[in-house]
Amino acid sequence: MTDREFLKVFRQQKEAFLKDFEKGTHHLRSAPVTSAGGDYKKVLDWFERWLREERVNTGSFEVGTREPARSFDQFMDEVLAVAREKLGDKNINITYSLPGQRLGISESWKCIKAFGSRDIYYRIGRTRPRKGPRRGEDLLVIDLVMDGYKKQVFLPLLAQKEAIERELGETLEREPPKVETTGKYRLKLLLPFEVVLRNDVHFVAEKLADFIAVTKPVLNGLGVM
């Protein structure tokens, strides 16, 4: 069955079902069988398979091959490797160490060094806020950590926040006021955890690389080298 035939059969089955549903007699057997579609099971099985395997935003009805499931650590490793390659093309070097993996420990956050300072760095990890408008949501977070550098780095960076957001095409978040009063200053990009569930390594790696590529020159200009 071709894509066009599938769409034709699906529309016919949907219309037949809706007619029966409106009458209160929604029996699938009352819908006509078409020569293009064969029996209902064949059409529904194909549709189920398409729903399971269709990649988000492919714009195609071709059945693809679903990537094998990865652990979160494996996903993060691949994201970091791809992001490092993308940044290398822009002459930006990053390093990251994963000591927990050597000990068999699963880590939900990875730290990324792009500066000489140990106190200013990037992170990527999983979180579920307990408060605020995103409370209870599973999120993947990319953030820039500047703890203890309020006047030297954080406030001057905030002055350029809108320009950074325009360049990234994203809205950036900061910590709640109560958290900032403890000396924790971060600027973060929040992504739905769905990007991890669908194994979208290149999408996340591009977001991470862009976040670093746009913010690093700003921090360099503030004396963070």
Side-chain angles (χ1 to χ4, degrees):
M1 185 187 293
T2 66
D3 293 346
R4 182 174 296 179
E5 288 173 336
F6 169 70
L7 286 172
K8 180 180 178 181
V9 173
F10 178 71
R11 291 193 189 102
Q12 289 174 339
Q13 305 293 358
K14 181 182 70 173
E15 290 171 3
F17 176 81
L18 289 175
K19 287 179 181 178
D20 279 355
F21 186 84
E22 290 173 356
K23 295 176 183 177
T25 59
H26 49 288
H27 301 295
L28 290 177
R29 290 185 179 181
S30 65
V33 177
T34 66
S35 58
D39 58 43
Y40 299 117
K41 187 177 186 303
K42 182 176 180 180
V43 176
L44 293 175
D45 284 349
W46 192 4
F47 186 53
E48 181 182 4
R49 185 180 174 193
W50 174 77
L51 286 176
R52 288 178 177 176
E53 299 182 353
E54 175 71 358
R55 296 285 293 176
V56 175
N57 296 327
T58 59
S60 170
F61 279 92
E62 294 180 3
V63 177
T65 301
R66 189 176 181 86
E67 296 182 20
R70 297 177 176 88
S71 70
F72 185 66
D73 276 342
Q74 290 172 327
F75 178 84
M76 296 284 272
D77 288 350
E78 292 189 39
V79 165
L80 290 169
V82 174
R84 180 166 59 182
E85 183 177 347
K86 289 178 178 292
L87 289 167
D89 292 339
K90 300 178 181 180
N91 295 317
I92 297 176
N93 297 317
I94 63 171
T95 59
Y96 50 90
S97 60
L98 309 172
Q101 285 190 338
R102 299 173 191 169
L103 301 175
I105 300 172
S106 177
E107 299 176 335
S108 59
W109 288 88
K110 310 296 182 188
C111 298
I112 305 160
K113 290 187 62 178
F115 309 101
S117 171
R118 291 185 177 182
D119 301 321
I120 299 177
Y121 55 91
Y122 296 93
R123 296 189 309 173
I124 180 170
R126 179 179 187 175
T127 189
R128 180 183 291 175
R130 289 178 292 180
K131 297 180 180 180
R134 309 297 291 270
R135 181 178 59 186
E137 287 187 48
D138 282 324
L139 300 169
L140 186 68
V141 183
I142 299 169
D143 67 2
L144 171 58
V145 179
M146 301 160 281
D147 296 354
Y149 288 83
K150 180 178 181 179
K151 293 182 179 180
Q152 307 98 310
V153 179
F154 181 63
L155 292 180
L157 183 67
L158 280 185
Q160 302 185 54
K161 179 174 176 285
E162 290 185 4
I164 293 171
E165 289 176 330
R166 283 195 299 271
E167 191 166 352
L168 288 173
E170 299 282 357
T171 299
L172 301 179
E173 305 286 343
R174 52 191 286 190
E175 295 288 2
K178 288 185 179 180
V179 175
E180 289 186 355
T181 58
T182 66
K184 295 180 179 179
Y185 305 107
R186 290 94 184 259
L187 202 59
K188 58 186 69 181
L189 172 62
L190 305 179
L191 301 174
F193 198 74
E194 181 186 4
V195 296
V196 178
L197 299 179
R198 70 177 188 239
N199 290 325
D200 208 336
V201 170
H202 287 276
F203 174 81
V204 177
E206 186 170 358
K207 290 295 183 182
L208 174 60
D210 287 348
F211 185 70
I212 295 175
V214 172
T215 56
K216 186 178 186 298
V218 178
L219 268 68
N220 290 158
L222 296 174
V224 182
M225 307 302 290

